């Protein structure tokens, strides 16, 4: 996304000076895609040569799009070398890595932008505007449910995300989007979290129920893949074949591990009760095996409530997805003493509900965009608060206790300030 945006939409303002990857095959593919005809191409470096890349190419900004557990390493090294950073969510996955980033930012004064594209969706921005305007008075409580279907949700259980030491689990990797939205919508930060989580679907017992005995470790060599709705056949998809199947020999990374492996270390069913500094409370649920994909959220207020629903994918049957139509986003405003009103939801073209083009515009051409009255840009502090709910939720699942976030931060010597 970032590469194509620079070379196709903002080439008059920015230039990709180098690419870096741990896999030489993928690095070559990326360099070919990023090279402009008539030039000598883009410089490439393997991951172990990242510091040499910085010294030789002297970039102004480094885009970090590595697996989550590596974000902190590259952010800190970029800061120390005098570079700003654009980082994919989540900022990082645990407190020790967060402290590294916070300390390095204070030491160097460099900046990181965390790309929370959901903030830039017109429909999500409308919710922010309604709440800020006092349309339902003071918000008192929120119910937020996020559904991952059996295509998108399953994919987290066959890749590197399937182990918490890589991703922090879905409460960090995926839910950072949702917790960031809550922080931004409500204009506050979390204080306490009590959570539960378990793996009930992506496990060996489910495979047995589906008649998938004698499974292979991965789809490519699985003797029962032909009758599994979760089969990922990378050989039949040009992009997956090029990025992953053809690259396996370089590093042994398999993109198609079995989603029912016993060794999987993340939950697929998670719930959290969250208390905020403003006094708002929220109940949050994430499931990764729903028959449909999207979100449902209700804001309770002293004057009424707002109900927002976005159906992204209608269902998954035999591995096929039926995408939602244009009328799949609804927002209802119900004030006390009045009939509920369906509000017109603003729309835009582009991925993530029209969010990506807007976000990329503010990242790569802020002068060409109108002033952002919604304060959608996310720095290291916003990035930190977005993961702290998930980190606290993971701790609560482990201990069975309520986790106080400020106490958690004090124990690690972390201070969040701009």
């Amino acid at each position: 996304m970032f590469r194509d945006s620079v070379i196709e939409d903002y080439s008059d303002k920015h230039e990709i000076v180098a690419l870096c990857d741990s896999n030489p095959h993928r690095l070559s593919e990326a360099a070919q895609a990023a090279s402009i005809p008539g030039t000598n191409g883009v410089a490439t470096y393997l991951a172990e040569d990242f510091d040499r890349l910085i010294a030789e190419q002297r970039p102004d900004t480094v885009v970090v799009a590595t697996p989550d557990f590596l974000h902190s390493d590259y952010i800190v090294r970029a800061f120390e070398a005098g570079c700003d950073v654009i980082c994919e969510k989540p900022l990082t996955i645990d407190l020790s890595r967060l402290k590294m980033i916070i300390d390095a930012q204070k030491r160097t004064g460099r900046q990181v932008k965390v790309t929370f594209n959901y903030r830039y969706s017109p429909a999500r921005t409308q919710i922010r505007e309604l709440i800020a305007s006092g349309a339902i008075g003071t918000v008192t409580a929120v119910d937020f449910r996020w559904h991952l279907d059996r295509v998108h949700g399953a994919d987290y259980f066959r890749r590197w995300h399937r182990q918490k030491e890589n991703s922090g689990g879905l409460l960090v990797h995926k839910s950072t989007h949702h917790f960031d939205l809550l922080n931004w919508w409500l204009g506050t930060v979390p204080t306490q979290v009590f959570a539960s989580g378990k793996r009930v679907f992506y496990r060996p017992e489910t495979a047995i129920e589906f008649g998938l005995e004698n499974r292979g470790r991965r789809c490519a060599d699985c003797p029962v893949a032909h009758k599994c709705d979760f089969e990922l056949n990378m050989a039949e998809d040009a992009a997956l074949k090029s990025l992953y199947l053809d690259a396996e020999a370089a590093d042994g990374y398999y993109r198609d591990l079995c989603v029912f492996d016993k060794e999987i270390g993340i939950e697929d069913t998670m719930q959290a009760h969250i208390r905020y500094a403003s006094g708002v409370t929220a109940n949050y649920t994430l499931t990764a095996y729903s028959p449909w994909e999207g979100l449902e959220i209700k804001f309770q207020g002293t004057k009424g409530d707002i109900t927002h629903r976005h159906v992204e994918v209608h269902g998954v049957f035999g591995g096929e997805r039926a995408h939602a139509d244009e009328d799949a986003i609804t927002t209802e405003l119900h004030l006390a003493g009045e009939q509920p009103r369906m509000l017109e939801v603003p729309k835009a073209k582009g991925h993530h509900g029209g969010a990506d083009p807007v976000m990329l515009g503010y990242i790569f051409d802020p002068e060409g965009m109108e002033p952002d009255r919604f304060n959608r840009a996310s720095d290291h502090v916003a990035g930190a608060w977005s993961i702290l709910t998930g980190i606290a939720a993971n701790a609560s699942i482990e201990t069975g206790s309520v986790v106080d976030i400020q106490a958690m931060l004090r124990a690690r010597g972390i201070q969040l300030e701009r």
Side-chain angles (χ1 to χ4, degrees), residues 200-314:
V200 299
F201 185 81
Y202 297 105
R203 57 186 191 140
E205 292 84 349
T206 304
I208 299 299
E209 291 177 17
F210 290 164
L212 301 173
E213 295 89 351
N214 303 314
R215 304 182 319 280
R217 181 167 179 260
R218 55 179 302 201
C219 294
D221 57 16
C222 180
V224 296
H226 64 283
K227 62 177 183 177
C228 178
D229 287 343
F230 296 85
E231 179 190 12
L232 179 67
N233 190 332
M234 294 188 291
E236 293 183 351
D237 185 292
L240 290 175
K241 181 178 183 299
S242 173
L243 277 174
Y244 299 105
L245 190 60
D246 294 345
E248 287 179 357
D251 58 11
Y253 173 63
Y254 297 141
R255 175 69 172 74
D256 63 341
L257 294 175
C258 180
V259 300
F260 300 115
D261 277 351
K262 182 179 180 180
E263 68 181 34
I264 292 171
I266 63 173
E267 300 88 3
D268 57 23
T269 308
M270 294 137 281
Q271 294 180 300
H273 180 71
I274 312 161
R275 299 170 185 165
Y276 290 88
S278 64
V280 180
T281 55
N283 289 321
Y284 172 82
T285 299
L286 174 66
T287 53
Y289 48 90
S290 173
W292 66 284
E293 176 129 344
L295 68 90
E296 300 172 287
I297 187 164
K298 182 181 285 289
F299 298 89
Q300 301 285 353
T302 54
K303 294 181 180 180
D305 61 45
I306 296 168
T307 304
H308 179 65
R309 193 169 192 258
H310 184 180
V311 181
E312 296 180 359
V313 180
H314 284 304

Side-chain angles (χ1 to χ4, degrees), residues 146-399:
W146 198 283
H147 306 260
L148 290 168
D149 70 16
R150 298 184 183 200
V151 174
H152 187 187
D155 213 33
Y156 293 113
F157 294 82
R158 62 169 61 95
R159 297 186 280 166
W160 54 265
H161 310 71
R162 69 200 326 230
Q163 301 301 342
K164 277 194 176 180
E165 58 263 31
N166 296 334
S167 66
L170 291 179
L171 282 166
V172 173
H173 174 81
K174 181 62 180 174
S175 300
T176 184
H177 266 318
H178 316 149
F179 297 144
D180 174 70
L181 279 175
L182 285 169
N183 296 344
W184 178 64
W185 276 330
L186 300 171
T188 187
V189 294
T191 57
Q192 291 183 319
V193 179
F194 179 71
S196 63
K198 52 190 176 180
R199 180 163 57 103
V200 299
F201 185 81
Y202 297 105
R203 57 186 191 140
E205 292 84 349
T206 304
I208 299 299
E209 291 177 17
F210 290 164
L212 301 173
E213 295 89 351
N214 303 314
R215 304 182 319 280
R217 181 167 179 260
R218 55 179 302 201
C219 294
D221 57 16
C222 180
V224 296
H226 64 283
K227 62 177 183 177
C228 178
D229 287 343
F230 296 85
E231 179 190 12
L232 179 67
N233 190 332
M234 294 188 291
E236 293 183 351
D237 185 292
L240 290 175
K241 181 178 183 299
S242 173
L243 277 174
Y244 299 105
L245 190 60
D246 294 345
E248 287 179 357
D251 58 11
Y253 173 63
Y254 297 141
R255 175 69 172 74
D256 63 341
L257 294 175
C258 180
V259 300
F260 300 115
D261 277 351
K262 182 179 180 180
E263 68 181 34
I264 292 171
I266 63 173
E267 300 88 3
D268 57 23
T269 308
M270 294 137 281
Q271 294 180 300
H273 180 71
I274 312 161
R275 299 170 185 165
Y276 290 88
S278 64
V280 180
T281 55
N283 289 321
Y284 172 82
T285 299
L286 174 66
T287 53
Y289 48 90
S290 173
W292 66 284
E293 176 129 344
L295 68 90
E296 300 172 287
I297 187 164
K298 182 181 285 289
F299 298 89
Q300 301 285 353
T302 54
K303 294 181 180 180
D305 61 45
I306 296 168
T307 304
H308 179 65
R309 193 169 192 258
H310 184 180
V311 181
E312 296 180 359
V313 180
H314 284 304
V316 181
F317 305 97
E320 297 181 2
R321 310 173 93 199
H323 285 274
D325 57 30
E326 292 185 355
D327 298 322
I329 306 177
T330 58
T331 300
E332 179 188 86
L333 176 63
H334 191 181
L335 299 180
E338 299 181 10
Q339 291 296 316
R341 287 188 288 135
M342 300 305 296
L343 304 181
E344 182 178 354
V345 179
K347 301 172 183 176
K349 294 182 179 180
H351 291 297
H352 293 99
D356 288 2
V358 180
M359 180 187 72
L360 292 166
Y362 279 106
I363 289 175
F364 293 125
D365 186 21
E367 291 79 12
M369 306 290 287
E370 64 180 28
D372 187 5
R373 60 193 178 93
F374 300 109
N375 297 315
R376 288 172 289 195
S378 304
D379 60 7
H380 61 287
V381 176
W385 282 116
S386 74
I387 60 173
L388 285 169
T389 304
I391 291 172
N394 279 334
S396 179
I397 291 171
E398 186 175 342
T399 63

Side-chain angles (χ1 to χ4, degrees), residues 19-51:
L19 294 166
C20 182
D21 200 279
S22 61
N23 185 293
H25 174 84
R26 276 200 293 276
L27 184 58
S28 176
E29 292 283 312
Q32 184 176 352
S35 295
I36 300 173
T39 70
N40 291 327
V42 176
T44 59
Y45 296 79
L46 290 172
E48 56 263 32
D49 297 321
F50 176 74
D51 296 321

Side-chain angles (χ1 to χ4, degrees), residues 5-16 60 360-361 363-369:
S5 184
V6 169
I7 63 179
E8 295 174 6
D9 300 320
Y10 300 102
S11 60
D12 59 329
K13 301 181 182 300
H14 303 278
E15 177 187 4
I16 296 177
D60 300 305
L360 292 166
I363 289 175
F364 293 125
D365 186 21
E367 291 79 12
M369 306 290 287

